[in-house]
Amino acid sequence: MARKAADRADTVDLIIEQWQRERPDVDVSGLAVFGRMHRGFLRYSMLLGEVFDRHGINMAAFDVLATLLRSGPPYRKTAGELAGISLVSTGGVTLRLDRLEKAGLVVRERDPDDRRVVYARLTERGLELTNAVVSDHFANERRMLAGLSETEQRQLARLLSRLERSLETAETAGRDDPAKPGEAGPA
């Protein structure tokens, strides 16, 4: 009986096999997860890029536009609020807003009660574009997940959530560990 495509050895399996042959003393089991995550992320990024390219924006622009849309009417936030919701600094958000404003997708408005506060707001054109990209983007993501059942998608989402928490724990532990990469820690 033929094996399903998902059950066949993939590139990561081959790499693991090579490591096991060349360095059997090293536990490379993490590669089974992280190697596939990396390869999957590269494919995911390419497929996302195709959607964004069709609309003349990039992932960074979509991040800001989608955040403004999710905020609800009047679809506006300060640069600081946008930075707090994303993984980008206020300076990075400002650069993105400059580009989006130049493209006519957002406008900056001063708060009438406090002139020091400046909001970025979706323009009508920005709102229309963002809604179109959102529809295409989420349809694209559904297409990318079509090889998984609904149950598998839920299981994977739960496991990825647990993995993120595990990575956060490792990140915190890494900051607390005085040993630097490549140095042995306390015995």
Side-chain angles (χ1 to χ4, degrees):
M1 190 160 128
R3 291 172 81 182
K4 293 174 18 181
D7 294 333
R8 287 194 316 253
D10 63 11
T11 301
V12 173
D13 289 323
L14 298 174
I15 293 169
I16 290 170
E17 182 181 303
Q18 291 169 336
W19 278 119
Q20 289 171 340
R21 183 185 66 238
E22 295 302 316
R23 291 293 308 269
D25 59 311
V26 176
D27 179 0
V28 298
S29 60
L31 186 57
V33 173
F34 294 111
R36 287 182 177 94
M37 278 180 48
H38 178 71
R39 291 173 60 81
F41 175 75
L42 294 175
R43 284 193 167 104
Y44 172 74
S45 295
M46 180 197 63
L47 292 167
L48 284 184
E50 290 172 0
V51 169
F52 298 145
D53 287 348
R54 279 197 308 270
H55 291 281
I57 63 170
N58 60 28
M59 191 179 301
F62 178 71
D63 182 35
V64 172
L65 295 170
T67 300
L68 291 171
L69 180 63
R70 286 192 321 264
S71 73
Y75 309 113
R76 72 179 195 177
K77 294 276 181 199
T78 66
E81 289 171 332
L82 289 167
I85 297 170
S86 68
L87 299 175
V88 181
S89 68
T90 304
V93 168
T94 299
L95 180 61
R96 290 177 183 183
L97 290 174
D98 289 345
R99 292 178 181 156
L100 292 169
E101 187 173 39
K102 186 176 181 181
L105 302 174
V106 300
V107 63
R108 287 183 170 114
E109 303 171 326
R110 292 212 177 270
D111 186 308
D113 298 325
D114 185 349
R115 304 285 296 156
R116 296 171 295 173
V117 177
V118 179
Y119 292 100
R121 180 183 53 81
L122 285 175
T123 62
E124 189 61 38
R125 181 172 168 232
L127 183 60
E128 289 172 13
L129 175 73
T130 306
N131 277 313
V133 176
V134 163
S135 295
D136 289 351
H137 169 65
F138 288 111
N140 188 38
E141 285 191 341
R142 283 191 308 278
R143 182 177 58 87
M144 287 188 257
L145 290 170
L148 300 174
S149 70
E150 298 256 341
T151 299
E152 290 169 328
Q153 289 178 42
R154 284 190 302 274
Q155 289 171 335
L156 180 58
R158 278 193 302 274
L159 288 171
L160 289 171
S161 177
R162 289 181 63 191
L163 175 60
E164 185 173 5
R165 287 192 302 274
S166 180
L167 291 170
E168 288 170 355
T169 300
E171 184 178 33
T172 302
R175 286 190 198 119
D176 296 338
D177 186 356
K180 294 182 176 132
E183 294 181 8

